[in-house]
Amino acid sequence: EIRLASCAGCHRMALTRFVQFAVDNFKKTTNLYFLTHFHADHFEGLSNDFNDGPIYCSPITRALVLHRFPKLSGFVHSTEEKVEQTINVAGEIISFTFYPANHCLGSVMILLEGSFGRYFHTGDFRYSPWMNEFLHNVDKIDNLFLDTTFLESTWVFPTREEAIAQIIDLIQTYAPSPSTQVYIEADMLGTEPIFIEIASRFNTLIHVKAKKYSEFHSIKGLKWLDILTLNPNMSRFHMCRDHNKQKGRRKNDEQKKEAKLKKRIEQGELWIRPSSQWFGKKASGVKLPQNFVSKPCFHQHIWHVLFSIHSSFCELEEFVKLIQPKEIT
């Protein structure tokens, strides 16, 4: 099994004698909180009862937080990307600027400045050369908090556009008939470009579950909401959860579910799972993920496409060379 390193999130540390900051960490009290994006592993400890202090995030993330935790409207503050904000925390003047993280809807990286120096926190991110446009502002960094989820040279990823092209090709090859049902196991924030492209290429709606429909509609200004439908009969394309992530299932239930899925696929359904984490699991049987950069992997009736919203090893190298921090955490 290929080792998956830790992410850049969930940090908590002292900036000065009187100021501590926490990024994606809400389990202990501090006086400065940031939330880089709204994935569950990054807002652990957050609830409607939270009252420990202000939380700073992007407008999209604020919308998602308040959709889940409506009682936090007085604590969650949003700021636009590339706009420096100055705050007074326990008498210390601190400034921060958000930059796009290219990870999921609303995800940001944080440039934090004060008497302690200049810190840059990537949160979860996918480096791409288009970021160089603003990264020239991120210089003289004393400490870089880096997303090292895929910090091994075995990890090489196609671009998102290349991965999506593989998904389109699978649909055209194995589900050319308008009656063939297609299930995409990708309901996590960050996979929306897949469905936007499918909707465009096949001139279709995308069926989503009520929870995702409501979540997306809590975000103002999204231009693609009209591609979503709650009616499964209105589309042959379905956004669904990874079938292996059903909680509380007993072994017998798992076997029955696998048998049912196998039967459905044998009857003509197409199942596709865009993921990067799967390729690192022992159960996948994949020893070298880079072998699947340009082609999908067929495993147990499902097509797996190497789709990543994190940086590859090579992308991390390029990013660090560009930033040239004094330290990396």
Side-chain angles (χ1 to χ4, degrees):
E1 184 166 7
I2 299 171
R3 181 178 62 86
L4 301 180
S6 62
C7 67
C10 309
H11 279 114
R12 179 177 178 271
M13 67 177 293
L15 291 176
T16 69
R17 180 181 176 185
F18 300 105
V19 179
Q20 289 187 330
F21 87 114
V23 178
D24 303 342
N25 187 336
F26 303 94
K27 294 181 179 180
K28 294 184 179 180
T29 302
T30 185
N31 47 15
L32 180 58
Y33 294 91
F34 292 98
L35 179 59
T36 61
H37 63 289
F38 200 66
H39 279 162
D41 56 331
H42 287 257
F43 62 82
E44 287 184 9
L46 203 56
S47 71
N48 272 316
D49 298 324
F50 178 89
N51 60 3
D52 291 339
I55 302 169
Y56 296 95
C57 60
S58 70
I60 287 179
T61 297
R62 183 178 191 272
L64 292 168
V65 171
L66 297 185
H67 179 66
R68 180 76 64 90
F69 308 114
K71 295 182 180 180
L72 298 187
S73 58
F75 292 95
V76 186
H77 306 276
S78 66
T79 184
E80 298 291 341
E81 295 173 351
K82 305 177 187 177
V83 178
E84 183 177 339
Q85 300 290 327
T86 301
I87 54 177
N88 188 318
V89 183
E92 294 279 351
I93 302 302
I94 295 172
S95 66
F96 66 89
T97 308
F98 289 155
Y99 292 101
N102 195 32
H103 179 66
C104 69
L105 281 172
S107 63
V108 294
M109 303 185 286
I110 310 165
L111 176 61
L112 199 60
E113 303 175 80
S115 61
F116 49 86
R118 285 167 62 86
Y119 291 176
F120 193 60
H121 199 296
T122 67
D124 288 349
F125 84 120
R126 175 95 193 252
Y127 172 72
S128 182
W130 62 260
M131 292 177 164
N132 296 352
E133 174 188 349
F134 60 79
L135 286 176
H136 68 272
N137 295 318
V138 184
D139 60 355
K140 300 178 181 178
I141 298 300
D142 297 298
N143 200 341
L144 172 64
F145 296 82
L146 185 66
D147 171 13
T148 56
T149 304
F150 293 100
L151 191 62
E152 286 192 2
S153 59
T154 51
W155 288 107
V156 181
F157 299 138
T159 66
R160 285 185 193 163
E161 293 74 19
E162 290 169 341
I164 292 173
Q166 291 181 40
I167 294 171
I168 298 298
D169 184 61
L170 284 172
I171 295 169
Q172 291 174 332
T173 303
Y174 296 102
S177 170
S179 63
T180 301
Q181 300 298 302
V182 180
Y183 293 83
I184 312 291
E185 293 190 338
D187 70 342
M188 185 174 69
L189 288 175
T191 60
E192 298 81 19
I194 297 171
F195 299 96
I196 293 171
E197 183 63 18
I198 289 174
S200 174
R201 291 290 291 271
F202 297 96
N203 191 28
T204 182
L205 296 175
I206 304 295
H207 167 236
V208 300
K209 298 294 180 64
K211 182 178 179 180
K212 295 303 297 185
Y213 188 90
S214 176
E215 183 177 69
F216 286 136
H217 277 79
S218 72
I219 305 170
K220 295 181 180 179
L222 291 184
K223 298 179 180 180
W224 44 267
L225 292 177
D226 58 347
I227 72 171
L228 305 177
T229 178
L230 288 168
N231 187 346
N233 297 318
M234 292 293 291
S235 176
R236 70 185 182 110
F237 295 96
H238 311 272
M239 175 191 293
C240 59
R241 192 180 189 190
D242 172 9
H243 72 283
N244 288 316
K245 288 187 177 180
Q246 304 294 332
K247 294 182 178 180
R249 281 165 38 195
R250 293 175 295 181
K251 188 173 182 179
N252 287 343
D253 293 335
E254 291 180 5
Q255 292 174 342
K256 290 179 181 178
K257 189 173 182 67
E258 290 294 334
K260 184 178 180 180
L261 175 61
K262 180 181 178 182
K263 184 177 181 180
R264 289 175 61 178
I265 293 172
E266 288 174 345
Q267 291 174 343
E269 293 181 352
L270 176 63
W271 285 68
I272 302 172
R273 183 182 176 190
S275 172
S276 51
Q277 298 270 2
W278 177 85
F279 286 84
K281 294 181 178 179
K282 187 175 182 180
S284 72
V286 174
K287 295 181 179 179
L288 295 173
Q290 61 261 46
N291 290 341
F292 296 95
V293 169
S294 59
K295 62 180 180 180
C297 175
F298 189 68
H299 181 79
Q300 293 184 350
H301 318 294
I302 296 175
W303 285 100
H304 297 265
V305 174
L306 189 56
F307 178 90
S308 181
I309 55 178
H310 291 270
S311 300
S312 67
F313 179 83
C314 292
E315 290 165 346
L316 289 174
E317 275 192 316
E318 188 175 347
F319 176 77
V320 171
K321 287 178 182 177
L322 184 68
I323 300 297
Q324 295 187 343
K326 292 179 181 178
E327 294 183 16
I328 299 177
T329 297

